Amino acid sequence: VESPYSIIIHAWRALGQLRTEAAVPALIKLLLNLDMDWAWEELPQVFAMIGPAAIAPLEATLKQPADGDNDGPQFTLVSGLAQIGLEHSDSRDRVVAILTDALAQNPQTNRMLGGSLCSALIDLEAVEAAPVIETAYAEDRISPRFSGTWATVQVELGLKKKEDFEPEDFEIPFDPDVDPAIESIKQYLEELE
């Protein structure tokens, strides 16, 4: 017997394959109300299958404040937009503009979302977003655990070469938003062994 979750996954994949534009609001609602890792991983692909018609609803939802401490849906919205930009080249510039604007507006309190936005812009080879990314790094609005340091980003975007920097320019500093959780996980795994 299949679990209800596997049925949901098959359903949203089918909606993506059918490019069912009318399903986008319902899929976003599902994403926001269902605390399920599979949704966070699978829905970006579904949104990309549906295509550019999913951009406006994803953008509108991304602009809304996050619900409490649950950033998963926002990361999925960013990833969904990036996938659309990657798979539908005619939408790339629009997606880059949306993600760049979101990074420019991202508060210092949401550094992990800033990291996610920066990673998406790197994936889209968004050299035009470099000034906004640089400002976000300078204002400590990006967690370097997602895309490295500003030096790393410059190399990834082809703005500079690795040789232009010192090795320490690539060292990721302690991140109070992420590192304590990583340490807790490491300790837990060590105890299991």
Side-chain angles (χ1 to χ4, degrees):
V1 177
E2 287 192 275
S3 77
Y5 289 136
S6 62
I7 293 169
I8 292 171
I9 292 168
H10 291 305
W12 69 45
R13 285 181 185 166
L15 291 168
Q17 290 168 345
L18 293 169
R19 296 191 174 106
T20 311
E21 297 173 10
V24 173
L27 291 170
I28 291 172
K29 186 175 180 181
L30 181 72
L31 170 67
L32 297 175
N33 295 312
L34 184 64
D35 187 14
M36 186 170 111
D37 291 348
W38 288 342
W40 300 344
E41 293 175 21
E42 293 269 338
L43 285 178
Q45 288 300 319
V46 173
F47 294 134
M49 284 189 267
I50 292 171
I55 293 174
L58 292 173
E59 176 186 13
T61 309
L62 182 61
K63 287 182 176 180
Q64 297 172 4
D67 183 22
D69 292 334
N70 187 3
D71 291 330
Q74 285 191 304
F75 298 146
T76 303
L77 297 169
V78 169
S79 183
L81 285 163
Q83 282 300 126
I84 293 169
L86 289 167
E87 295 182 25
H88 302 272
S89 58
D90 55 328
S91 298
R92 182 236 177 235
D93 292 348
R94 181 177 172 200
V95 168
V96 167
I98 291 165
L99 297 176
T100 303
D101 183 58
L103 181 58
Q105 303 301 318
N106 185 51
Q108 189 176 20
T109 56
N110 203 339
R111 296 172 65 248
M112 292 197 300
L113 179 61
S116 177
L117 289 161
C118 183
S119 289
L121 290 165
I122 291 169
D123 290 344
L124 289 160
E125 301 176 358
V127 175
E128 63 269 40
V132 172
I133 296 171
E134 181 179 17
T135 299
Y137 268 100
E139 295 174 353
D140 196 28
R141 293 186 287 117
I142 294 177
S143 169
R145 289 284 176 218
F146 284 78
S147 49
T149 64
W150 170 232
T152 304
V153 173
Q154 291 176 81
V155 172
E156 290 287 326
L157 289 176
L159 299 171
K160 291 194 176 182
K161 295 180 180 171
K162 194 171 184 178
E163 300 79 41
D164 295 331
F165 298 98
E166 297 298 323
E168 56 268 17
D169 293 329
F170 299 100
E171 293 176 8
I172 297 175
F174 177 81
D175 188 336
D177 295 333
V178 179
D179 290 349
I182 291 173
E183 283 305 312
S184 294
I185 293 168
K186 283 181 184 177
Q187 288 176 357
Y188 175 73
L189 293 174
E190 287 172 4
E191 289 173 12
L192 287 178
E193 290 176 2

